[in-house]
Amino acid sequence: MADSLPRIGTLCALVLLTFGCAKASGEGSAVGQVWAPDCGLEGRDYELNPSFFALQPSLSVEIIDIVVQRGSDYKSYSDGISVFIRDPDLVKETLLGTEIDLGGLGGLVEMTLYLNATCPGVARIPVVYGAVSGTIRFDSLFVPWLDNDTEETAAVFTNVELVDQQAPLERRAVLDGDFRFLFERGRPPQLF
């Protein structure tokens, strides 16, 4: 009996690792220039190199938040892009393949860039820029509450200017990129 306890413990650990969380399989890019003087970025070339992709639906109000980031750490410790879709039904049913303008808060689709790994601890305030211009085109979009022929989400964004509203001339970015990933259901990470 004593010999089987370590094997049972190992088996339990493997089961927890297998079912504990899931990340979407995907690929993408975001390249351009970033101005963030507090972190020494003065128009320097920037490349996100994302490795984590997530589609986070909110069924209560039928919105979607897409996360494309470097690594799977919390947003407050990572660099990434968040794409917020206010009316995913409209985008999926009538706007696939169409350029959608990114023009600030309250639009159909909003985009933010967060630089919390590149600029850690800048006065303990997250470095987040919001899109004020540019376009995004969805070629496919998985919407959990609609009938879907695929679980893939794919988009291309072009000439997206993102700014810090408090200092838009000094703190900004201009990015182009794309992402493509498959939706995978998984439990959210447990926070302790």
Side-chain angles (χ1 to χ4, degrees), residues 14-74:
L14 287 173
V15 169
L16 287 174
L17 286 173
T18 303
F19 295 108
C21 60
K23 84 171 195 173
S25 302
E27 58 187 26
S29 68
V31 297
Q33 292 180 293
V34 174
W35 291 263
D38 298 341
C39 339
L41 300 175
E42 297 286 344
R44 194 173 76 189
D45 290 342
Y46 178 81
E47 190 169 348
L48 179 60
N49 295 318
S51 58
F52 178 82
F53 306 86
L55 185 142
Q56 302 168 333
S58 171
L59 300 177
S60 60
V61 291
E62 296 186 345
I63 57 173
I64 287 177
D65 187 21
I66 296 170
V67 176
V68 176
Q69 76 178 29
R70 184 182 313 133
S72 60
D73 208 343
Y74 296 115

Side-chain angles (χ1 to χ4, degrees), residues 154-182:
V156 175
F157 51 95
T158 307
N159 201 30
V160 178
E161 183 177 4
L162 304 110
V163 301
D164 177 343
Q165 292 297 329
Q166 295 184 4
L169 297 177
E170 295 85 31
R171 297 169 52 97
R172 60 191 177 92
V174 179
L175 298 176
D176 295 299
D178 61 85
F179 54 85
R180 174 182 305 274
F181 64 92
L182 296 174

Side-chain angles (χ1 to χ4, degrees), residues 100-111 130-135 161:
I100 300 169
D101 288 328
L102 297 167
L105 296 175
L108 176 63
V109 179
E110 297 174 22
M111 181 183 286
V132 293
S133 65
T135 61
E161 183 177 4

